[in-house]
Amino acid sequence: KLADGGGLYFIAKKRGRNQNIYQGWSFIHQIQGKRPEYGLGAYPDVTLANARKLRDICQDAVARGLDPRSILRPDANKITFGDAMDAEIAHRAGDWKNGLKSQTAIKWRATRNRHAAKLMKRDPDTITRDDAASILEPIWTTMHPTAEKVRQHCESAFDRAIFMGATKNPNPFRWRGNLKSILPRHKHKTEHHPALPYELAPAFAQTCLDEAEEYIDGGVPLMLFLITVSACRMSEARLARKSEFDPVR
């Protein structure tokens, strides 16, 4: 095996029952700890100059997140919407703790499999706004937070499909100027927690102080006491430091 550079290798090895020596070209690159190899043709049918051109094509495919086979043999490995979704998850996994094994990656796949499975084997070029609406409408009003995540994930996956060269169509999962005109408007209902009657505030504060004695640093009870007597925000109490208080006053 001789390296020409950029992932191009000249291969010479024995093949077949008669152990005939095969000479040809391969493109090898590293991805996720693996080194897949793609045959570029036999020598001398494929010259060095042609092999280098094929190597450049493979490098461009890898840079765009594509399997080089999809470029070398387009009909053998067409990109599906599921492939684009997997590529988008893999692209984002670099920013997630534990990568593809993270809870975020698991949730992406679970949401996809539960609510968008029927689109995963489709050619991105054939997916329309009606297809997008068909998976969102059943959960848009009853499970709106989940539906919005599905829409956002699919929107990102379709953008990835465009980047991978699988389609040039406008993104059918886009909200403004697209799905916003056909999906019902969602009205967010704010539900407030019941407030503590002010008559019980002194007793509650004293209970917090009593409970705080069981903690070295006062713990949650002391934080609740601070909120009760000062009406400060939760984040202000949670992030408070001793230096911010004057014990004399």
Side-chain angles (χ1 to χ4, degrees), residues 223-224 226-227 232-241 245:
M223 183 181 71
L224 292 175
L226 177 61
I227 294 173
C232 67
R233 295 180 179 275
M234 175 71 75
S235 60
E236 294 172 337
R238 182 169 56 85
L239 300 175
R241 298 289 183 268
F245 298 92

Side-chain angles (χ1 to χ4, degrees), residues 24 82 103 111 131 140 144 168 186 206 224:
Q103 286 299 312
T111 301
D131 293 319
W140 190 252
H144 185 73
K168 294 181 180 180
H186 176 72
Q206 186 59 51
L224 292 175

Side-chain angles (χ1 to χ4, degrees), residues 86-144:
D86 290 336
E88 179 65 13
I89 294 173
H91 174 74
R92 291 173 176 262
D95 296 327
W96 298 334
K97 186 178 181 181
N98 298 324
L100 291 172
K101 295 182 179 179
S102 66
Q103 286 299 312
T104 304
I106 292 172
K107 289 178 180 178
W108 266 67
R109 289 190 288 267
T111 301
R112 172 197 64 186
N113 295 339
R114 184 173 182 182
H115 301 291
K118 71 177 186 178
L119 299 181
M120 290 303 107
K121 294 183 179 180
R122 292 274 298 276
D123 181 342
D125 213 30
T126 67
I127 297 177
T128 66
R129 184 178 68 170
D130 290 340
D131 293 319
S134 70
I135 66 171
L136 295 173
E137 282 179 335
I139 58 174
W140 190 252
T141 55
T142 58
M143 302 171 59
H144 185 73

